[in-house]
Amino acid sequence: MRLVFLGPPGIGKGSYATEISKILGIPHISTGDIFREEIKKNSELGRVVKQYVERGELVPDEIVIEVVKRRLEQADCKKGFILDGFPRTLRQAEALDEITKIDLAVNFAAPVETIIERLSGRRICKNCGAIYHVKFMPPKKPGICDICGGELYQREDDRPDVIRRRLKEYEEKFKPIIEYYEDKGILVTVNANRHLKEVVEDCLRIFKERGLYNR
Ligand code: AMP
């Protein structure tokens, strides 16, 4: 089962991919995670992509495509994979089709207000990086990390006005990619305005309907 997960920042795409990857026994491949890992290791690739990732700019297509190509050649991808964060440009989507056949592109969608509620409540520990949510996963003491006692802060780009701008940018940038998969007849839209468990169940139901999954 070769899957592409699409959806705006804050929709919970990474969490859905993690859950579904466990259930299906296929790897969850996040290009953002690969880059962050390489930067941490200070590898040659890490040094090349660092400037882009730190500025929040797209890593050039030829680099990302090569990274994904190599990753998909690994043995654990034989049964399938979930791509998260790739493709991000039309060129990446076309290159992906040359590398392998994609079975389904899952587009996660939710009202803007839901995404704002999820992201604007997010708090991060200054010390250990643990993530909380003021409503959905509050720390025991407000503003203080349960794990290390560090001070919690809100990321600059998790503020409502910035979130609105990021969502608008996402919509403009991803329109051609969504249309690309729609034209191929392999796009499905999943309502992400529900609990994680329900979103995951809906995905599995769709995979079954499409004959991709039979458990
Ligand atoms: P993410 O965690 O998916 O938000 O990715 C973090 C950063 O990695 C992005 O801001 C980009 O700099 C880079 N990146 C990840 N995936 C891609 C991609 N498919 N194309 C270009 N750059 C990417």
Side-chain angles (χ1 to χ4, degrees):
M1 200 177 319
R2 289 153 298 202
L3 308 169
V4 162
F5 278 13
L6 303 167
I11 196 91
K13 204 165 25 98
S15 309
Y16 309 139
T18 304
E19 281 305 303
I20 294 171
S21 126
K22 275 191 237 155
I23 297 169
L24 302 181
I26 54 176
H28 165 203
I29 302 169
S30 149
T31 41
D33 284 350
I34 295 178
F35 292 146
R36 278 184 288 272
E37 193 63 28
E38 294 295 324
I39 292 170
K40 221 195 279 168
K41 285 197 291 197
N42 196 25
S43 67
E44 202 185 322
L45 173 64
R47 288 196 294 274
V48 173
V49 300
K50 192 170 192 266
Q51 45 174 336
Y52 300 101
V53 175
E54 281 180 353
R55 280 194 234 125
E57 289 167 10
L58 287 187
V59 171
D61 282 340
E62 53 275 26
I63 299 175
V64 195
I65 291 166
E66 189 55 32
V67 166
V68 170
K69 185 166 186 279
R70 281 204 216 143
R71 181 65 188 86
L72 297 184
E73 279 164 6
Q74 289 178 23
D76 64 336
C77 294
K78 278 227 168 70
K79 267 173 60 192
F81 51 79
I82 300 172
L83 277 172
D84 166 13
F86 182 94
R88 259 185 167 85
T89 65
L90 208 47
R91 212 181 127 211
Q92 291 178 12
E94 286 162 355
L96 179 61
D97 279 339
E98 282 168 27
I99 300 170
T100 187
K101 180 181 161 283
I102 295 301
D103 296 309
L104 209 60
V106 185
N107 178 30
F108 295 98
V112 173
E113 293 313 315
T114 302
I115 298 173
I116 290 179
E117 190 184 25
R118 285 185 190 169
L119 284 182
S120 62
R122 188 157 73 167
R123 297 291 181 274
I124 305 165
C125 174
K126 267 186 186 161
N127 183 43
C128 74
I131 298 170
Y132 297 87
H133 191 283
V134 290
K135 189 167 161 196
F136 306 123
M137 219 214 304
K140 290 194 188 92
K141 268 195 230 158
I144 304 290
C145 178
D146 290 347
I147 301 164
C148 73
E151 191 189 331
L152 303 185
Y153 76 103
Q154 182 177 35
R155 254 174 56 175
E156 202 53 50
D157 54 359
D158 280 348
R159 295 181 193 275
D161 52 329
V162 185
I163 297 169
R164 269 182 219 281
R165 200 188 67 219
R166 277 163 66 201
L167 291 176
K168 215 171 167 51
E169 278 171 12
Y170 167 84
E171 223 170 85
E172 282 161 18
K173 280 199 194 127
F174 274 74
K175 203 164 170 255
I177 299 175
I178 305 267
E179 283 170 0
Y180 179 82
Y181 288 117
E182 209 165 28
D183 289 347
K184 283 180 168 287
I186 57 167
L187 183 85
V188 288
T189 296
V190 169
N191 171 12
N193 191 19
R194 297 176 291 177
H195 289 294
L196 178 98
K197 198 167 158 268
E198 291 169 277
V199 177
V200 169
E201 276 168 9
D202 206 18
C203 289
L204 297 176
R205 184 185 55 76
I206 292 167
F207 301 158
K208 276 183 198 163
E209 260 174 30
R210 297 243 165 183
L212 296 168
Y213 177 64
N214 53 17
R215 253 177 285 164

